[in-house]
Amino acid sequence: MDNQVTPTFTGFDFSVSENQQMVQQMAREFAEKHIRPHVMEWDEEQHFPRELFKQLADLGMMSVVVPEEYSGSGFGYFEYVTVIQEVAKVCGSIGLSVAAHNSLCTGHILTFGNEEQKHKWLPKLASLEYLGAWGLTEANTGSDAMRMNTTAVLDGDHYIINGAKNWITHGKSGDIAVVMVRTGEKGTSKGISTLVVERGTPGFMAGKKENKLGMRASETAEMIFDNCRVPKENLLGNEGEGFKQAMKVLDGGRISIAALSLGIAKGAYTAAVAYAKERHQFGQPIAEFQGISFKLADMATQIEAAEMLLMQACDLKNRHLPVTKQAAMAKYYASEVAVKVATDAVQIFGGYGYTKDFPVEKYYRDAKLCTIGEGTSEIQKIVIAREALRG
């Protein structure tokens, strides 16, 4: 066949590198030593352990995909999702904060900042001198982000921002925020721009901290802007590019949530297997009953399927290939699996699973956010369908 065309895409590579193994061991040991002893205390008190993230930064886990020239770790997405999974196996809250800092705030500046902006902010984010936040969602514009009400008006050398952002991870404690603002007409993608705002800027304030069902040790709060003057050199890219930027950043963010979901699912599954082997009823471990063993079989299969979708998205991301559909698929499926696996884990534990003395009730509470944050499951279906129908 003389007219064969060489394909530009030859498949996926999921081989585990030495770097992945090293990162996995480091993250696992850190989580067991520094996170697990405090999980329920932080959850009950809604305590955001800011000091913990400095320790994670010292190990390079708060700048996993940031190149070394900006003081980052210089790894790829396989290493990144490994960190998220290992932390989330122990505590979803900490995994969520690690993900938000890495993929949203840091990731946005890395992808769309100019060299001066990247050298100014990325090293501080990598060392956790700055904890990052990312502001897209508003009280009345969740999925419908193009109708945001937060505005930025150019006044000389500064933009004046007015409005509020809701459901923001690190909205109170974050030192720097990447914020999407309306600089043009409402309802159009080209009416949105992106500004970086540092804490301490007059008119930039924290609002209400949310009292949540799960992920309680990850701070979620309102950010308020009242005639907040931001230098125009803090604009990322050009005016009108903010919505397009946000959608690209969310592709990476959805990979993060898929990894977070998978970590929670694996944590719940591990706990359920151990309990099913130890718990005896009618003279035998409950794991030997078909009703329980079939649940465990379904859980294991769903986790592996979710992991394959995640690895596929990571591979495409590393190759700088289009990843919108695969990221949405991974996020959608893995988040729903996390809820299903955590629910079945509670069922396997029975009455004990409903108490805070055993770990699965927290996985159950934490998992639900994964189907909501960074695009609901319904939004993921819209994205997947749109991409699939393009042919």
Side-chain angles (χ1 to χ4, degrees), residues 334-366:
S335 64
E336 294 293 341
V337 163
V339 172
K340 179 67 164 59
V341 168
T343 300
D344 285 345
V346 171
Q347 195 70 18
I348 289 169
F349 270 76
Y352 292 115
Y354 204 65
T355 71
K356 293 183 181 292
D357 294 327
F358 290 81
V360 290
E361 68 85 29
K362 183 176 183 297
Y363 291 121
Y364 180 80
R365 288 185 290 108
D366 286 350

Side-chain angles (χ1 to χ4, degrees), residues 17 37 66 119 143 207 225 234 253 257 264 288 292 300 317 337 361:
S17 67
V66 175
H119 281 287
S143 300
F225 303 92
N234 287 21
I257 300 299
I264 291 170
E288 295 183 12
I292 300 298
K317 187 73 172 172
V337 163
E361 68 85 29

Side-chain angles (χ1 to χ4, degrees), residues 56-69:
L56 284 163
D58 291 342
L59 294 173
M61 287 189 270
M62 299 301 282
S63 58
V64 184
V65 301
V66 175
E68 293 180 9
E69 65 181 296

Side-chain angles (χ1 to χ4, degrees), residues 165-370:
K165 297 292 179 177
N166 294 68
W167 302 102
I168 308 303
T169 304
H170 312 145
K172 182 177 180 180
S173 295
D175 303 290
I176 186 171
V178 174
V179 185
M180 274 52 69
V181 294
R182 186 162 55 80
T183 52
E185 291 185 22
K186 184 182 289 191
T188 65
S189 62
K190 293 182 180 179
I192 296 171
S193 304
T194 307
L195 289 167
V196 177
V197 188
E198 296 187 37
R199 188 72 65 181
T201 303
F204 178 26
M205 300 163 285
K208 175 188 175 185
K209 178 181 176 181
E210 303 296 340
N211 184 6
K212 300 174 298 192
L213 169 72
M215 302 290 196
R216 290 167 61 82
S218 178
E219 178 190 277
T220 304
E222 184 182 28
M223 295 192 303
I224 299 171
F225 303 92
D226 182 10
N227 290 319
C228 177
R229 295 181 66 87
V230 177
K232 67 179 182 181
E233 57 263 30
N234 287 21
L235 179 72
L236 294 181
N238 299 313
E239 270 200 14
E241 294 178 348
F243 186 79
K244 184 185 294 186
Q245 291 177 6
M247 294 305 101
K248 187 173 177 62
V249 169
L250 282 174
D251 282 345
R254 285 162 182 167
I255 293 173
S256 299
I257 300 299
L260 178 67
S261 303
L262 192 57
I264 291 170
K266 286 181 176 180
Y269 172 73
T270 299
V273 168
Y275 184 79
K277 289 178 178 179
E278 295 168 1
R279 173 71 167 171
H280 283 66
Q281 292 286 274
F282 304 101
Q284 60 183 322
I286 63 172
E288 295 183 12
F289 291 105
Q290 189 178 79
I292 300 298
S293 66
F294 277 16
K295 280 188 186 298
L296 294 172
D298 285 340
M299 294 159 79
T301 302
Q302 291 160 4
I303 286 171
E304 295 235 358
E307 187 151 30
M308 290 300 290
L309 284 170
L310 174 61
M311 292 299 103
Q312 175 180 311
C314 287
D315 190 59
L316 291 173
K317 187 73 172 172
N318 280 343
R319 297 176 191 223
H320 306 289
L321 292 170
V323 73
T324 298
K325 182 175 74 173
Q326 286 77 11
M329 285 180 169
K331 194 271 186 189
Y332 165 55
Y333 187 73
S335 64
E336 294 293 341
V337 163
V339 172
K340 179 67 164 59
V341 168
T343 300
D344 285 345
V346 171
Q347 195 70 18
I348 289 169
F349 270 76
Y352 292 115
Y354 204 65
T355 71
K356 293 183 181 292
D357 294 327
F358 290 81
V360 290
E361 68 85 29
K362 183 176 183 297
Y363 291 121
Y364 180 80
R365 288 185 290 108
D366 286 350
K368 187 57 193 169
L369 179 67
C370 297

Side-chain angles (χ1 to χ4, degrees), residues 61 79 114 118 123 134-135 151 154 162-163 177 192 221 241 294 344:
M61 287 189 270
E79 289 83 3
N114 59 38
K118 287 191 277 192
W134 192 77
T151 60
L154 188 60
N162 282 286
I192 296 171
E241 294 178 348
F294 277 16
D344 285 345

